mmCIF file of all heavy atoms in Angstrom:
data_model
loop_
_atom_site.group_PDB
_atom_site.id
_atom_site.type_symbol
_atom_site.label_atom_id
_atom_site.label_comp_id
_atom_site.label_asym_id
_atom_site.label_seq_id
_atom_site.Cartn_x
_atom_site.Cartn_y
_atom_site.Cartn_z
ATOM 1 N N GLN A 1 0.823 -1.212 0.000
ATOM 2 C CA GLN A 1 0.000 0.000 0.000
ATOM 3 C C GLN A 1 0.856 1.260 0.000
ATOM 4 O O GLN A 1 0.540 2.232 -0.696
ATOM 5 C CB GLN A 1 -0.924 0.002 1.226
ATOM 6 C CG GLN A 1 -2.037 -1.025 1.157
ATOM 7 C CD GLN A 1 -2.968 -0.975 2.349
ATOM 8 O OE1 GLN A 1 -4.053 -1.551 2.317
ATOM 9 N NE2 GLN A 1 -2.549 -0.312 3.409
ATOM 10 N N SER A 2 1.953 1.242 0.776
ATOM 11 C CA SER A 2 2.816 2.418 0.861
ATOM 12 C C SER A 2 3.505 2.693 -0.458
ATOM 13 O O SER A 2 3.648 3.851 -0.873
ATOM 14 C CB SER A 2 3.855 2.232 1.971
ATOM 15 O OG SER A 2 3.233 2.165 3.240
ATOM 16 N N CYS A 3 3.931 1.643 -1.134
ATOM 17 C CA CYS A 3 4.583 1.818 -2.426
ATOM 18 C C CYS A 3 3.616 2.422 -3.438
ATOM 19 O O CYS A 3 3.972 3.364 -4.171
ATOM 20 C CB CYS A 3 5.122 0.489 -2.937
ATOM 21 S SG CYS A 3 5.922 0.609 -4.563
ATOM 22 N N GLU A 4 2.415 1.912 -3.479
ATOM 23 C CA GLU A 4 1.431 2.429 -4.434
ATOM 24 C C GLU A 4 1.104 3.890 -4.142
ATOM 25 O O GLU A 4 0.945 4.696 -5.073
ATOM 26 C CB GLU A 4 0.172 1.566 -4.388
ATOM 27 C CG GLU A 4 0.409 0.159 -4.945
ATOM 28 C CD GLU A 4 -0.753 -0.787 -4.736
ATOM 29 O OE1 GLU A 4 -1.656 -0.437 -3.936
ATOM 30 O OE2 GLU A 4 -0.765 -1.863 -5.371
ATOM 31 N N ALA A 5 1.050 4.252 -2.856
ATOM 32 C CA ALA A 5 0.798 5.646 -2.485
ATOM 33 C C ALA A 5 1.981 6.532 -2.870
ATOM 34 O O ALA A 5 1.804 7.655 -3.348
ATOM 35 C CB ALA A 5 0.517 5.746 -0.989
ATOM 36 N N SER A 6 3.200 6.025 -2.668
ATOM 37 C CA SER A 6 4.395 6.801 -3.032
ATOM 38 C C SER A 6 4.464 7.028 -4.533
ATOM 39 O O SER A 6 4.850 8.107 -4.994
ATOM 40 C CB SER A 6 5.661 6.093 -2.538
ATOM 41 O OG SER A 6 5.778 6.166 -1.125
ATOM 42 N N LEU A 7 4.133 6.012 -5.310
ATOM 43 C CA LEU A 7 4.138 6.157 -6.766
ATOM 44 C C LEU A 7 3.204 7.284 -7.211
ATOM 45 O O LEU A 7 3.550 8.090 -8.090
ATOM 46 C CB LEU A 7 3.719 4.841 -7.429
ATOM 47 C CG LEU A 7 4.746 3.707 -7.398
ATOM 48 C CD1 LEU A 7 4.096 2.400 -7.833
ATOM 49 C CD2 LEU A 7 5.941 4.028 -8.287
ATOM 50 N N LYS A 8 2.046 7.363 -6.600
ATOM 51 C CA LYS A 8 1.088 8.422 -6.951
ATOM 52 C C LYS A 8 1.638 9.790 -6.563
ATOM 53 O O LYS A 8 1.534 10.751 -7.332
ATOM 54 C CB LYS A 8 -0.249 8.154 -6.264
ATOM 55 C CG LYS A 8 -1.004 6.954 -6.804
ATOM 56 C CD LYS A 8 -2.320 6.747 -6.060
ATOM 57 C CE LYS A 8 -3.054 5.514 -6.582
ATOM 58 N NZ LYS A 8 -4.322 5.274 -5.826
ATOM 59 N N ARG A 9 2.207 9.882 -5.359
ATOM 60 C CA ARG A 9 2.729 11.178 -4.918
ATOM 61 C C ARG A 9 3.914 11.625 -5.774
ATOM 62 O O ARG A 9 4.055 12.797 -6.092
ATOM 63 C CB ARG A 9 3.123 11.107 -3.442
ATOM 64 C CG ARG A 9 1.926 11.070 -2.488
ATOM 65 C CD ARG A 9 2.368 11.255 -1.051
ATOM 66 N NE ARG A 9 3.130 10.110 -0.567
ATOM 67 C CZ ARG A 9 2.622 9.110 0.145
ATOM 68 N NH1 ARG A 9 1.332 9.097 0.440
ATOM 69 N NH2 ARG A 9 3.386 8.120 0.565
ATOM 70 N N LEU A 10 4.776 10.681 -6.131
ATOM 71 C CA LEU A 10 5.944 11.008 -6.951
ATOM 72 C C LEU A 10 5.572 11.248 -8.414
ATOM 73 O O LEU A 10 6.322 11.901 -9.150
ATOM 74 C CB LEU A 10 6.967 9.877 -6.863
ATOM 75 C CG LEU A 10 7.671 9.719 -5.513
ATOM 76 C CD1 LEU A 10 8.379 8.365 -5.448
ATOM 77 C CD2 LEU A 10 8.667 10.858 -5.280
ATOM 78 N N GLY A 11 4.449 10.697 -8.843
ATOM 79 C CA GLY A 11 4.015 10.864 -10.221
ATOM 80 C C GLY A 11 4.842 10.076 -11.211
ATOM 81 O O GLY A 11 5.060 10.513 -12.347
ATOM 82 N N VAL A 12 5.291 8.883 -10.802
ATOM 83 C CA VAL A 12 6.100 8.035 -11.679
ATOM 84 C C VAL A 12 5.490 6.635 -11.736
ATOM 85 O O VAL A 12 4.667 6.265 -10.910
ATOM 86 C CB VAL A 12 7.566 7.946 -11.180
ATOM 87 C CG1 VAL A 12 8.231 9.312 -11.244
ATOM 88 C CG2 VAL A 12 7.628 7.375 -9.756
ATOM 89 N N ASP A 13 5.933 5.870 -12.734
ATOM 90 C CA ASP A 13 5.434 4.504 -12.883
ATOM 91 C C ASP A 13 6.213 3.511 -12.032
ATOM 92 O O ASP A 13 5.712 2.431 -11.704
ATOM 93 C CB ASP A 13 5.517 4.073 -14.350
ATOM 94 C CG ASP A 13 4.605 4.894 -15.246
ATOM 95 O OD1 ASP A 13 3.520 5.281 -14.783
ATOM 96 O OD2 ASP A 13 5.000 5.167 -16.399
ATOM 97 N N ALA A 14 7.475 3.858 -11.710
ATOM 98 C CA ALA A 14 8.314 2.952 -10.927
ATOM 99 C C ALA A 14 9.286 3.766 -10.076
ATOM 100 O O ALA A 14 9.754 4.830 -10.493
ATOM 101 C CB ALA A 14 9.085 1.999 -11.836
ATOM 102 N N ILE A 15 9.577 3.240 -8.891
ATOM 103 C CA ILE A 15 10.581 3.839 -8.009
ATOM 104 C C ILE A 15 11.895 3.099 -8.260
ATOM 105 O O ILE A 15 11.946 1.877 -8.182
ATOM 106 C CB ILE A 15 10.161 3.717 -6.536
ATOM 107 C CG1 ILE A 15 8.868 4.502 -6.282
ATOM 108 C CG2 ILE A 15 11.268 4.216 -5.612
ATOM 109 C CD1 ILE A 15 8.256 4.267 -4.918
ATOM 110 N N ASP A 16 12.949 3.837 -8.572
ATOM 111 C CA ASP A 16 14.222 3.195 -8.911
ATOM 112 C C ASP A 16 14.818 2.429 -7.737
ATOM 113 O O ASP A 16 15.313 1.315 -7.908
ATOM 114 C CB ASP A 16 15.226 4.251 -9.395
ATOM 115 C CG ASP A 16 14.784 4.897 -10.692
ATOM 116 O OD1 ASP A 16 14.474 4.152 -11.641
ATOM 117 O OD2 ASP A 16 14.729 6.139 -10.749
ATOM 118 N N LEU A 17 14.796 3.032 -6.556
ATOM 119 C CA LEU A 17 15.352 2.392 -5.358
ATOM 120 C C LEU A 17 14.360 2.532 -4.220
ATOM 121 O O LEU A 17 14.153 3.634 -3.704
ATOM 122 C CB LEU A 17 16.696 3.021 -4.987
ATOM 123 C CG LEU A 17 17.375 2.473 -3.731
ATOM 124 C CD1 LEU A 17 17.747 1.001 -3.915
ATOM 125 C CD2 LEU A 17 18.617 3.285 -3.381
ATOM 126 N N TYR A 18 13.747 1.425 -3.817
ATOM 127 C CA TYR A 18 12.763 1.444 -2.736
ATOM 128 C C TYR A 18 13.407 0.800 -1.513
ATOM 129 O O TYR A 18 13.806 -0.366 -1.544
ATOM 130 C CB TYR A 18 11.515 0.670 -3.149
ATOM 131 C CG TYR A 18 10.291 0.976 -2.315
ATOM 132 C CD1 TYR A 18 9.933 2.288 -2.022
ATOM 133 C CD2 TYR A 18 9.470 -0.043 -1.845
ATOM 134 C CE1 TYR A 18 8.796 2.575 -1.283
ATOM 135 C CE2 TYR A 18 8.324 0.228 -1.110
ATOM 136 C CZ TYR A 18 8.001 1.539 -0.824
ATOM 137 O OH TYR A 18 6.876 1.819 -0.080
ATOM 138 N N GLN A 19 13.496 1.571 -0.427
ATOM 139 C CA GLN A 19 14.265 1.152 0.730
ATOM 140 C C GLN A 19 13.394 0.934 1.967
ATOM 141 O O GLN A 19 12.432 1.684 2.184
ATOM 142 C CB GLN A 19 15.313 2.229 1.062
ATOM 143 C CG GLN A 19 16.229 2.572 -0.103
ATOM 144 C CD GLN A 19 16.793 3.972 0.025
ATOM 145 O OE1 GLN A 19 17.936 4.148 0.422
ATOM 146 N NE2 GLN A 19 16.004 4.984 -0.334
ATOM 147 N N ILE A 20 13.749 -0.069 2.749
ATOM 148 C CA ILE A 20 13.113 -0.207 4.061
ATOM 149 C C ILE A 20 13.831 0.766 5.000
ATOM 150 O O ILE A 20 15.037 0.719 5.160
ATOM 151 C CB ILE A 20 13.154 -1.661 4.574
ATOM 152 C CG1 ILE A 20 14.579 -2.204 4.655
ATOM 153 C CG2 ILE A 20 12.298 -2.556 3.687
ATOM 154 C CD1 ILE A 20 14.676 -3.541 5.368
ATOM 155 N N HIS A 21 13.062 1.659 5.606
ATOM 156 C CA HIS A 21 13.635 2.766 6.375
ATOM 157 C C HIS A 21 14.282 2.292 7.680
ATOM 158 O O HIS A 21 15.177 2.949 8.213
ATOM 159 C CB HIS A 21 12.534 3.799 6.664
ATOM 160 C CG HIS A 21 13.028 5.202 6.696
ATOM 161 N ND1 HIS A 21 12.228 6.288 6.431
ATOM 162 C CD2 HIS A 21 14.245 5.720 6.953
ATOM 163 C CE1 HIS A 21 12.924 7.404 6.536
ATOM 164 N NE2 HIS A 21 14.144 7.089 6.858
ATOM 165 N N ARG A 22 13.810 1.188 8.195
ATOM 166 C CA ARG A 22 14.379 0.564 9.392
ATOM 167 C C ARG A 22 14.080 -0.940 9.333
ATOM 168 O O ARG A 22 13.296 -1.396 8.503
ATOM 169 C CB ARG A 22 13.783 1.151 10.689
ATOM 170 C CG ARG A 22 14.185 2.582 10.997
ATOM 171 C CD ARG A 22 15.663 2.717 11.285
ATOM 172 N NE ARG A 22 16.025 4.069 11.712
ATOM 173 C CZ ARG A 22 16.353 5.063 10.901
ATOM 174 N NH1 ARG A 22 16.322 4.859 9.578
ATOM 175 N NH2 ARG A 22 16.691 6.252 11.375
ATOM 176 N N PHE A 23 14.703 -1.698 10.218
ATOM 177 C CA PHE A 23 14.411 -3.131 10.356
ATOM 178 C C PHE A 23 13.179 -3.280 11.231
ATOM 179 O O PHE A 23 13.009 -2.565 12.217
ATOM 180 C CB PHE A 23 15.612 -3.830 11.004
ATOM 181 C CG PHE A 23 15.447 -5.311 11.152
ATOM 182 C CD1 PHE A 23 15.702 -6.158 10.088
ATOM 183 C CD2 PHE A 23 15.045 -5.858 12.366
ATOM 184 C CE1 PHE A 23 15.554 -7.536 10.228
ATOM 185 C CE2 PHE A 23 14.902 -7.222 12.514
ATOM 186 C CZ PHE A 23 15.155 -8.070 11.442
ATOM 187 N N ASP A 24 12.296 -4.209 10.872
ATOM 188 C CA ASP A 24 11.063 -4.430 11.628
ATOM 189 C C ASP A 24 11.101 -5.821 12.253
ATOM 190 O O ASP A 24 10.822 -6.820 11.579
ATOM 191 C CB ASP A 24 9.848 -4.294 10.712
ATOM 192 C CG ASP A 24 8.538 -4.313 11.490
ATOM 193 O OD1 ASP A 24 8.559 -4.642 12.694
ATOM 194 O OD2 ASP A 24 7.489 -3.998 10.889
ATOM 195 N N PRO A 25 11.407 -5.919 13.554
ATOM 196 C CA PRO A 25 11.496 -7.234 14.197
ATOM 197 C C PRO A 25 10.149 -7.899 14.423
ATOM 198 O O PRO A 25 10.090 -9.082 14.761
ATOM 199 C CB PRO A 25 12.173 -6.908 15.532
ATOM 200 C CG PRO A 25 11.772 -5.493 15.824
ATOM 201 C CD PRO A 25 11.718 -4.814 14.482
ATOM 202 N N SER A 26 9.057 -7.164 14.216
ATOM 203 C CA SER A 26 7.727 -7.728 14.481
ATOM 204 C C SER A 26 7.147 -8.468 13.279
ATOM 205 O O SER A 26 6.076 -9.071 13.387
ATOM 206 C CB SER A 26 6.764 -6.602 14.898
ATOM 207 O OG SER A 26 6.511 -5.723 13.815
ATOM 208 N N VAL A 27 7.830 -8.398 12.132
ATOM 209 C CA VAL A 27 7.331 -9.041 10.908
ATOM 210 C C VAL A 27 8.355 -10.068 10.441
ATOM 211 O O VAL A 27 9.556 -9.779 10.426
ATOM 212 C CB VAL A 27 7.092 -7.994 9.800
ATOM 213 C CG1 VAL A 27 6.660 -8.666 8.509
ATOM 214 C CG2 VAL A 27 6.054 -6.973 10.239
ATOM 215 N N PRO A 28 7.924 -11.272 10.076
ATOM 216 C CA PRO A 28 8.879 -12.259 9.549
ATOM 217 C C PRO A 28 9.653 -11.697 8.359
ATOM 218 O O PRO A 28 9.079 -11.051 7.477
ATOM 219 C CB PRO A 28 7.979 -13.427 9.126
ATOM 220 C CG PRO A 28 6.750 -13.290 9.966
ATOM 221 C CD PRO A 28 6.540 -11.817 10.136
ATOM 222 N N ILE A 29 10.955 -11.945 8.357
ATOM 223 C CA ILE A 29 11.798 -11.459 7.272
ATOM 224 C C ILE A 29 11.271 -11.937 5.921
ATOM 225 O O ILE A 29 11.277 -11.200 4.931
ATOM 226 C CB ILE A 29 13.251 -11.919 7.492
ATOM 227 C CG1 ILE A 29 13.884 -11.125 8.648
ATOM 228 C CG2 ILE A 29 14.079 -11.751 6.220
ATOM 229 C CD1 ILE A 29 15.270 -11.596 9.016
ATOM 230 N N GLU A 30 10.818 -13.185 5.876
ATOM 231 C CA GLU A 30 10.315 -13.741 4.620
ATOM 232 C C GLU A 30 9.138 -12.938 4.072
ATOM 233 O O GLU A 30 9.024 -12.746 2.855
ATOM 234 C CB GLU A 30 9.905 -15.203 4.818
ATOM 235 C CG GLU A 30 11.047 -16.169 5.057
ATOM 236 C CD GLU A 30 11.573 -16.142 6.491
ATOM 237 O OE1 GLU A 30 10.992 -15.413 7.328
ATOM 238 O OE2 GLU A 30 12.554 -16.850 6.773
ATOM 239 N N GLU A 31 8.258 -12.489 4.948
ATOM 240 C CA GLU A 31 7.102 -11.707 4.495
ATOM 241 C C GLU A 31 7.547 -10.377 3.893
ATOM 242 O O GLU A 31 7.065 -9.967 2.825
ATOM 243 C CB GLU A 31 6.140 -11.451 5.663
ATOM 244 C CG GLU A 31 4.937 -10.602 5.262
ATOM 245 C CD GLU A 31 3.959 -10.375 6.405
ATOM 246 O OE1 GLU A 31 4.028 -11.107 7.405
ATOM 247 O OE2 GLU A 31 3.119 -9.460 6.286
ATOM 248 N N THR A 32 8.464 -9.702 4.570
ATOM 249 C CA THR A 32 8.969 -8.414 4.078
ATOM 250 C C THR A 32 9.650 -8.559 2.727
ATOM 251 O O THR A 32 9.357 -7.820 1.771
ATOM 252 C CB THR A 32 9.959 -7.813 5.095
ATOM 253 O OG1 THR A 32 9.258 -7.489 6.301
ATOM 254 C CG2 THR A 32 10.630 -6.571 4.535
ATOM 255 N N LEU A 33 10.537 -9.535 2.619
ATOM 256 C CA LEU A 33 11.309 -9.695 1.383
ATOM 257 C C LEU A 33 10.443 -10.196 0.234
ATOM 258 O O LEU A 33 10.652 -9.809 -0.921
ATOM 259 C CB LEU A 33 12.483 -10.630 1.624
ATOM 260 C CG LEU A 33 13.548 -10.086 2.585
ATOM 261 C CD1 LEU A 33 14.580 -11.155 2.909
ATOM 262 C CD2 LEU A 33 14.226 -8.849 1.997
ATOM 263 N N ALA A 34 9.467 -11.044 0.518
ATOM 264 C CA ALA A 34 8.559 -11.519 -0.530
ATOM 265 C C ALA A 34 7.724 -10.357 -1.072
ATOM 266 O O ALA A 34 7.473 -10.269 -2.281
ATOM 267 C CB ALA A 34 7.656 -12.624 0.010
ATOM 268 N N ALA A 35 7.310 -9.455 -0.181
ATOM 269 C CA ALA A 35 6.525 -8.297 -0.614
ATOM 270 C C ALA A 35 7.362 -7.377 -1.496
ATOM 271 O O ALA A 35 6.889 -6.884 -2.531
ATOM 272 C CB ALA A 35 6.001 -7.540 0.597
ATOM 273 N N LEU A 36 8.609 -7.156 -1.106
ATOM 274 C CA LEU A 36 9.498 -6.323 -1.914
ATOM 275 C C LEU A 36 9.764 -6.963 -3.273
ATOM 276 O O LEU A 36 9.803 -6.283 -4.308
ATOM 277 C CB LEU A 36 10.809 -6.074 -1.169
ATOM 278 C CG LEU A 36 10.709 -5.220 0.099
ATOM 279 C CD1 LEU A 36 12.023 -5.248 0.861
ATOM 280 C CD2 LEU A 36 10.325 -3.775 -0.247
ATOM 281 N N ASP A 37 9.948 -8.277 -3.272
ATOM 282 C CA ASP A 37 10.166 -8.981 -4.540
ATOM 283 C C ASP A 37 8.934 -8.877 -5.437
ATOM 284 O O ASP A 37 9.055 -8.732 -6.662
ATOM 285 C CB ASP A 37 10.496 -10.447 -4.265
ATOM 286 C CG ASP A 37 10.810 -11.211 -5.543
ATOM 287 O OD1 ASP A 37 11.870 -10.957 -6.140
ATOM 288 O OD2 ASP A 37 9.976 -12.043 -5.958
ATOM 289 N N THR A 38 7.759 -8.937 -4.849
ATOM 290 C CA THR A 38 6.525 -8.782 -5.619
ATOM 291 C C THR A 38 6.505 -7.435 -6.339
ATOM 292 O O THR A 38 6.140 -7.354 -7.521
ATOM 293 C CB THR A 38 5.294 -8.898 -4.695
ATOM 294 O OG1 THR A 38 5.232 -10.214 -4.150
ATOM 295 C CG2 THR A 38 4.004 -8.602 -5.461
ATOM 296 N N LEU A 39 6.914 -6.377 -5.632
ATOM 297 C CA LEU A 39 6.939 -5.052 -6.241
ATOM 298 C C LEU A 39 7.924 -4.990 -7.403
ATOM 299 O O LEU A 39 7.664 -4.351 -8.425
ATOM 300 C CB LEU A 39 7.312 -3.998 -5.186
ATOM 301 C CG LEU A 39 6.284 -3.760 -4.082
ATOM 302 C CD1 LEU A 39 6.851 -2.803 -3.036
ATOM 303 C CD2 LEU A 39 4.988 -3.196 -4.662
ATOM 304 N N VAL A 40 9.057 -5.668 -7.245
ATOM 305 C CA VAL A 40 10.044 -5.716 -8.339
ATOM 306 C C VAL A 40 9.467 -6.466 -9.530
ATOM 307 O O VAL A 40 9.569 -6.015 -10.684
ATOM 308 C CB VAL A 40 11.353 -6.370 -7.863
ATOM 309 C CG1 VAL A 40 12.310 -6.576 -9.037
ATOM 310 C CG2 VAL A 40 12.022 -5.516 -6.785
ATOM 311 N N GLN A 41 8.843 -7.617 -9.263
ATOM 312 C CA GLN A 41 8.272 -8.420 -10.346
ATOM 313 C C GLN A 41 7.142 -7.679 -11.059
ATOM 314 O O GLN A 41 6.944 -7.853 -12.269
ATOM 315 C CB GLN A 41 7.765 -9.761 -9.801
ATOM 316 C CG GLN A 41 8.841 -10.626 -9.173
ATOM 317 C CD GLN A 41 10.005 -10.894 -10.107
ATOM 318 O OE1 GLN A 41 9.821 -11.113 -11.306
ATOM 319 N NE2 GLN A 41 11.224 -10.865 -9.574
ATOM 320 N N GLN A 42 6.419 -6.846 -10.324
ATOM 321 C CA GLN A 42 5.325 -6.077 -10.918
ATOM 322 C C GLN A 42 5.819 -4.855 -11.681
ATOM 323 O O GLN A 42 5.037 -4.188 -12.372
ATOM 324 C CB GLN A 42 4.345 -5.626 -9.831
ATOM 325 C CG GLN A 42 3.555 -6.762 -9.196
ATOM 326 C CD GLN A 42 2.687 -6.278 -8.045
ATOM 327 O OE1 GLN A 42 2.904 -5.199 -7.480
ATOM 328 N NE2 GLN A 42 1.686 -7.081 -7.698
ATOM 329 N N GLY A 43 7.098 -4.532 -11.556
ATOM 330 C CA GLY A 43 7.658 -3.363 -12.234
ATOM 331 C C GLY A 43 7.406 -2.055 -11.519
ATOM 332 O O GLY A 43 7.691 -0.984 -12.070
ATOM 333 N N LYS A 44 6.898 -2.116 -10.302
ATOM 334 C CA LYS A 44 6.668 -0.890 -9.544
ATOM 335 C C LYS A 44 7.939 -0.388 -8.866
ATOM 336 O O LYS A 44 8.053 0.781 -8.521
ATOM 337 C CB LYS A 44 5.579 -1.130 -8.487
ATOM 338 C CG LYS A 44 4.215 -1.460 -9.081
ATOM 339 C CD LYS A 44 3.205 -1.773 -8.001
ATOM 340 C CE LYS A 44 1.849 -2.110 -8.615
ATOM 341 N NZ LYS A 44 0.849 -2.476 -7.567
ATOM 342 N N VAL A 45 8.887 -1.289 -8.670
ATOM 343 C CA VAL A 45 10.172 -0.975 -8.039
ATOM 344 C C VAL A 45 11.263 -1.629 -8.875
ATOM 345 O O VAL A 45 11.114 -2.775 -9.312
ATOM 346 C CB VAL A 45 10.211 -1.514 -6.592
ATOM 347 C CG1 VAL A 45 11.615 -1.459 -6.024
ATOM 348 C CG2 VAL A 45 9.237 -0.729 -5.715
ATOM 349 N N ARG A 46 12.365 -0.918 -9.094
ATOM 350 C CA ARG A 46 13.451 -1.476 -9.913
ATOM 351 C C ARG A 46 14.531 -2.139 -9.059
ATOM 352 O O ARG A 46 15.080 -3.168 -9.431
ATOM 353 C CB ARG A 46 14.044 -0.382 -10.790
ATOM 354 C CG ARG A 46 13.035 0.141 -11.818
ATOM 355 C CD ARG A 46 13.684 0.989 -12.892
ATOM 356 N NE ARG A 46 12.719 1.286 -13.955
ATOM 357 C CZ ARG A 46 12.046 2.431 -14.051
ATOM 358 N NH1 ARG A 46 12.250 3.382 -13.157
ATOM 359 N NH2 ARG A 46 11.180 2.619 -15.026
ATOM 360 N N TYR A 47 14.860 -1.525 -7.933
ATOM 361 C CA TYR A 47 15.846 -2.099 -7.008
ATOM 362 C C TYR A 47 15.363 -1.864 -5.586
ATOM 363 O O TYR A 47 14.561 -0.961 -5.327
ATOM 364 C CB TYR A 47 17.235 -1.451 -7.187
ATOM 365 C CG TYR A 47 17.841 -1.637 -8.544
ATOM 366 C CD1 TYR A 47 17.637 -0.692 -9.550
ATOM 367 C CD2 TYR A 47 18.614 -2.762 -8.838
ATOM 368 C CE1 TYR A 47 18.185 -0.859 -10.811
ATOM 369 C CE2 TYR A 47 19.178 -2.936 -10.096
ATOM 370 C CZ TYR A 47 18.959 -1.978 -11.075
ATOM 371 O OH TYR A 47 19.517 -2.154 -12.321
#
């Protein structure tokens, strides 16, 4: 949801570098990384 909102605010089709601002110990690492990979596969994020 945050990525899609950022894309609208930035007015671009893809964010070149999408970064996790901090480490989140409350979420499984696999869930975080799978979500980021999904964004890359969808073309919304390049790196």
Side-chain angles (χ1 to χ4, degrees):
Q1 289 182 166
S2 295
C3 179
E4 291 172 347
S6 289
L7 287 169
K8 290 180 182 178
R9 287 190 292 263
L10 290 166
V12 296
D13 295 326
I15 297 171
D16 295 308
L17 178 64
Y18 198 47
Q19 305 155 102
I20 57 171
H21 213 155
R22 290 294 186 272
F23 182 82
D24 188 349
S26 68
V27 176
I29 287 175
E30 291 79 4
E31 178 178 343
T32 294
L33 294 172
L36 293 170
D37 183 70
T38 295
L39 292 174
V40 173
Q41 299 305 321
Q42 292 175 341
K44 296 176 180 178
V45 168
R46 295 193 171 99
Y47 298 92

